[in-house]
């Protein structure tokens, strides 16, 4: 074989690759050099795994499935069967570089996993979750031991039986905590009883798996039992020393990183050096470098912004580029063709059956003993059977330590792939938490006979830029003390495959969808929740922050579900366009547009679309300083009457001036006349009649009325369309004009659609039932 520098090398022992080439014009092949080859490998891995992720998305599979399959396809089981492909893209002399990059990514990924594991939450884990975790580990571990005897006597001969026994027990008893979190989020089960219990049990299982893995690695050494004992003692000493030395140091760094200020680069650098030093220490001990990184991640204080900044700095590079290399590295070692013959396939079936039977049966039995309903217990069993990255780590270490041979390794990789793949469809089949909600009376702002009853609003927002306008709108809506206002402020967060999604999951579980606990503000680690808490303390409004975490194409279901559960009379949604510095509105994307369209169609109450053009400025205005001018554009119809009712409530605020602009000619409607008569008799604001025919006259009349801070109008106003073309027809004939840049760049707009019970009955006839998480408050105190 000839290397890139022109020297000859023995095929069985190829010479090391040079780092870079001099280019193709010098007659050199870049694929014969380490750096350009590594670039090609990384690009190929990312393209293949992301392509498979896209293809598997309709099946609602987590990304780890695509990455495992991608690794197998690039290995000797598929594309690697072509010697030309394997020798050019993944030659043997490049594997040390590939595996070094993969393991470096693994080290930092395990650091991120440790960052997202809160030991305080484990200490609060309820007895039921502990029992489920214990049973979910014990029974499959025992079955794994039994399976190991069969494999040891057939395909995995010639290794230490005791070490192989432990490795098999660990391989069958693992539950992948990060993968489970993503599956639960995908199925919208994070905050259900099943989701809470599964996450708590999986967290305990995760910690137990690391302890068992450390034991397995120590036993896999080639030394005497005394050396194994020294490895374990050194591991205990490392954890103790890290707790006594590294933890106070990290706590000091975190304390010097206050909220709202940038984290010093030196602190980030020092932390990463500590991670690498800890990884080196554990590798020197003999229990793998990833343990040191994981321990440091666990020891980083979770309060304050420091941990979040570390995740933000590392996650994209590690999870998107480096970690997939580990799956490919595993795939290059996986040769499915070694599973040949009747005996090998029967052994594969045996391993899969024992893995599923032990995990599912152990979890179901312990769940039933904890008085979990049978269907939820079955769903828990399937969820706890999820495998993932930790499984591959166990198998790779076993292969590297010669505890597993190629055939056993391939069998166990396929077992991990199969058990994770079936989790989502099985849970969907056995557990459907959807149920019809209890009907409630007040679904609109207009109250015929109960004008002094509580008004409940579900106000949604995408990020911190929406908060000042939203709070100023809430302040304007609080009315009099006789008419209490409760606002559920829902932060809409897109669920992604990034590792920090698990941190968001923790927030959702503590913060609550659909429930919220005031103790969440104790940490003060989220500027969004802090802003609402400050406003709550300074006003009479009962405001309760919530979080909805979902893919953007289904997050409207969370909004609709929460509105039903909270018995909201009005949903306020942010417009899918945001204002730029030049005043023009820029779209956030079709997904956000889709959210508004779906909520308008299926909402169980009235809906308002808020076009934010800086109502009150960039900060919250105190009650004593509120001074807004608002106008209701009244063309007639139920939506305009709803907008008029909301404007009337706003006019009760002493700092708000309301103008009602009635446009003529106006078709006579008795309900409209009653609503307008009520405004006149209560003197809630000024009243003007505007004579206008056609879209041009209406537009001129609106502009001639003067400048206002906020305009309210019904979505289905009874007038002709005011713009010929629009990309948001759901805003209605007047709303489409008011959101255009030709109208104004300073006036915020609220387009309101009144709830129509007839449309709701029609949707029920079509069986449009949305998933409603059944999350009783009593369970929140039982599980973390």
């Amino acid at each position: 074989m000839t290397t890139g520098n022109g020297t000859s090398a023995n095929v069985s022992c190829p010479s090391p690759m040079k780092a870079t080439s001099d280019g193709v014009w010098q007659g050199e092949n870049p694929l014969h050099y380490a750096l350009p080859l590594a670039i090609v490998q990384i690009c190929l891995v990312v393209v293949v795994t992301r392509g498979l992720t896209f293809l598997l998305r309709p099946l609602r599979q987590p990304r780890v499935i695509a990455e495992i399959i991608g690794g197998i396809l690039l290995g000797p089981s598929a594309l690697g069967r072509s010697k030309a492909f394997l020798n050019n893209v993944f030659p043997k002399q490049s594997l040390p570089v590939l595996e070094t990059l993969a393991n470096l990514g693994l080290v930092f990924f395990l650091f991120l996993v440790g960052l997202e594991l809160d030991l305080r939450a484990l200490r609060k884990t309820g007895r039921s979750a502990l029992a489920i975790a214990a049973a979910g580990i014990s029974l499959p571990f025992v079955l794994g031991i039994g399976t190991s005897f069969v494999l040891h006597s057939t395909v995995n001969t010639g290794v230490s039986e005791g070490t192989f026994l432990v490795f098999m027990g660990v391989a069958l008893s693992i539950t992948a905590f990060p993968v489970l979190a993503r599956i639960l989020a995908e199925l919208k089960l994070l905050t259900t009883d099943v989701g809470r219990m599964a996450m708590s049990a999986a967290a305990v299982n995760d910690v137990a798996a690391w302890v068992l893995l450390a034991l397995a690695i120590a036993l896999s050494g080639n030394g005497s039992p005394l050396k194994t004992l020294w490895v374990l003692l050194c591991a205990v000493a490392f954890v103790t020393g890290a707790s006594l030395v590294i933890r106070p140091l990290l706590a000091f760094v975190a304390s010097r990183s206050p909220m709202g200020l940038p984290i010093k680069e030196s602190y980030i650098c020092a932390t990463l050096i500590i991670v690498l030093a800890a990884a080196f220490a554990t590798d020197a001990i003999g229990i793998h470098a990833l343990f040191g990184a994981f321990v440091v991640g666990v020891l980083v204080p979770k309060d304050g912004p420091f941990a979040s900044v570390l995740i933000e700095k590392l996650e994209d590079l590690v999870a998107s580029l480096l970690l997939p290399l580990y799956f490919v590295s595993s795939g290059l070692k996986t040769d499915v063709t070694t599973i040949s013959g009747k005996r090998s396939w029967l052994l594969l079936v045996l391993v899969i059956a024992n893995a599923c039977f032990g995990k599912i049966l152990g979890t179901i039995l312990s769940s039933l003993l904890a008085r979990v309903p049978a269907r939820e217990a079955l769903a828990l069993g399937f969820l706890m059977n999820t495998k993932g990255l930790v499984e591959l780590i166990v198998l790779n270490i076993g292969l590297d330590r010669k505890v597993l041979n190629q055939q056993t390794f391939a069998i166990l990789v396929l077992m991990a792939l199969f058990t994770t793949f079936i989790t989502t469809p099985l849970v969907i089949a056995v557990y459907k938490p959807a149920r019809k909600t209890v009907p409630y009376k007040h679904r609109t702002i207009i109250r015929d006979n109960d004008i002094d009853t509580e008004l409940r609003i579900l106000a949604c927002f995408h990020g911190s830029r929406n908060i000042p306008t939203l709070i100023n709108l809430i302040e304007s809506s609080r009315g009099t003390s006789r008419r209490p206002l409760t606002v559920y402020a829902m932060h809409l967060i897109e669920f992604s495959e990034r590792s920090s999604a698990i941190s968001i999951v923790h927030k959702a579980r503590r913060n609550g969808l659909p429930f919220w606990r005031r103790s969440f503000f104790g940490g003060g680690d989220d500027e969004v929740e802090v802003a609402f808490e400050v406003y709550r303390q300074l006003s009479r409004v009962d405001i309760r922050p919530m979080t909805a975490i979902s893919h953007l194409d289904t997050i409207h279901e969370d909004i609709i579900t929460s509105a039903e559960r909270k018995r909201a009379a009005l949903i306020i949604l942010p417009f899918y366009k945001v204002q730029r510095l030049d005043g023009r509105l820029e779209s956030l994307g079709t997904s956000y547009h889709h959210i508004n369209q779906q909520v308008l169609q299926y909402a169980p109450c009235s809906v308002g679309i808020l076009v934010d053009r800086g109502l009150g400025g960039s900060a919250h205005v105190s009650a004593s300083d509120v001074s807004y001018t608002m106008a209701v554009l009244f063309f007639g119809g139920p939506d305009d009457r709803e907008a008029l009712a909301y404007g009337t409530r706003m006019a009760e605020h002493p700092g708000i001036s309301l103008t009602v602009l009635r446009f003529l000619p106006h078709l006579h409607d008795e309900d409209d006349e009653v609503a307008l008569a009520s405004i006149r008799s209560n003197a809630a604001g000024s009243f003007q009649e505007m004579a206008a025919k056609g879209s041009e006259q209406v537009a001129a009349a609106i502009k001639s009325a003067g400048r206002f801070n906020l305009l309210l109008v019904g979505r289905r106003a009874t007038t002709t369309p005011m713009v010929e073309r629009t990309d948001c027809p759901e805003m209605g004939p007047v709303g489409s004009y008011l959101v255009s840049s030709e109208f104004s760049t300073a006036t915020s707009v609220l387009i309101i659609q009144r709830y129509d019970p007839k449309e709701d009955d029609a949707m029920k006839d079509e069986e449009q039932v949305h998933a409603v998480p059944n999350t009783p408050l009593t369970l929140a105190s039982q599980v973390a």
Side-chain angles (χ1 to χ4, degrees), residues 644-645 647-648 658 660 674-687:
L644 184 62
T648 305
L658 174 66
V660 179
V674 171
L676 292 170
S678 176
I679 294 295
R680 290 168 175 160
S681 62
N682 292 334
S686 62
F687 183 87

Side-chain angles (χ1 to χ4, degrees), residues 137-151:
I137 295 173
S138 303
L139 186 56
F141 192 90
V142 172
L143 289 178
I145 292 175
T147 307
S148 69
F149 288 116
V150 178
L151 292 176

Side-chain angles (χ1 to χ4, degrees), residues 210-285:
W210 290 114
V211 175
L212 292 173
L213 180 56
L215 175 63
I217 293 174
L219 292 174
S220 66
N222 296 323
S224 63
L226 183 60
K227 290 184 179 180
T228 299
L229 179 61
W230 274 111
V231 171
L232 292 175
L233 290 176
C234 288
V236 173
F238 169 79
V239 175
T240 304
S243 301
L244 296 176
V245 178
I246 297 179
R247 185 170 189 170
L249 180 61
L250 293 173
F252 171 77
V253 171
S255 67
R256 299 293 297 272
S257 306
M259 176 70 70
L261 296 177
I263 308 298
K264 291 184 178 180
E265 183 269 342
S266 59
Y267 292 166
I268 302 293
C269 181
T271 304
L272 298 182
I273 292 298
I274 291 174
V275 172
L276 293 175
F280 173 81
T282 51
D283 187 78
I285 290 171

Side-chain angles (χ1 to χ4, degrees), residues 22-185:
D22 294 328
V24 294
W25 297 112
Q26 301 298 325
E28 295 182 345
N29 187 345
L31 295 180
H32 293 166
Y33 295 83
L35 179 60
L37 181 58
I39 293 173
V40 170
Q41 290 171 343
I42 292 173
C43 293
L44 178 63
V45 168
V46 172
V47 169
V48 170
T49 55
R50 290 303 173 114
L52 288 171
T53 300
F54 176 77
L55 293 176
L56 293 175
R57 178 68 188 276
L59 301 178
R60 307 177 79 172
Q61 294 294 328
R63 197 171 78 189
V64 66
I65 292 291
E67 289 170 333
I68 294 176
I69 294 176
I72 294 175
L73 291 179
L74 292 173
S77 302
L79 292 176
R81 295 180 66 84
S82 168
K83 296 299 181 182
F85 172 82
L86 203 61
N87 292 336
N88 282 283
V89 182
F90 294 104
K92 289 184 178 180
Q93 60 267 40
S94 74
L95 296 185
V97 176
L98 179 66
E99 292 191 4
T100 300
L101 288 173
N103 279 279
L104 186 63
L106 182 65
V107 164
F108 282 111
F109 183 79
L110 266 296
F111 170 65
L112 293 176
V113 172
L115 275 175
E116 297 172 336
L117 184 62
D118 194 346
L119 293 180
R120 293 174 300 181
L122 289 182
R123 289 196 293 267
K124 298 177 183 177
T125 301
R127 294 181 180 178
S128 298
L130 282 174
I132 292 172
I137 295 173
S138 303
L139 186 56
F141 192 90
V142 172
L143 289 178
I145 292 175
T147 307
S148 69
F149 288 116
V150 178
L151 292 176
H152 188 269
S153 62
T154 53
V155 298
N156 206 80
T157 59
V159 298
S160 171
E161 187 172 356
T163 305
F164 181 60
L165 219 137
V166 175
F167 264 95
M168 284 299 300
V170 174
L172 267 64
S173 61
I174 285 175
T175 294
F177 176 77
V179 179
L180 178 61
R182 286 168 170 80
I183 291 176
L184 289 171

Side-chain angles (χ1 to χ4, degrees), residues 602-652:
Y602 298 114
C605 59
S606 296
V607 180
I609 306 294
L610 177 61
V611 182
D612 182 5
R613 292 192 176 108
L615 178 64
S618 60
H620 164 226
V621 180
S622 61
S624 59
D625 296 330
V626 169
S627 180
Y628 302 148
T629 56
M630 299 184 182
V632 175
L633 308 182
F634 194 89
F635 295 87
D639 290 354
D640 278 12
R641 293 195 294 271
E642 187 79 348
L644 184 62
Y646 194 29
T648 305
R649 182 185 178 95
M650 288 183 172
E652 296 176 4

Side-chain angles (χ1 to χ4, degrees), residues 291-310:
F291 281 96
F294 177 74
V295 170
V296 174
V298 171
L299 295 179
V300 173
K302 304 306 185 288
D303 295 330
F306 187 63
S308 299
V309 170
L310 285 172

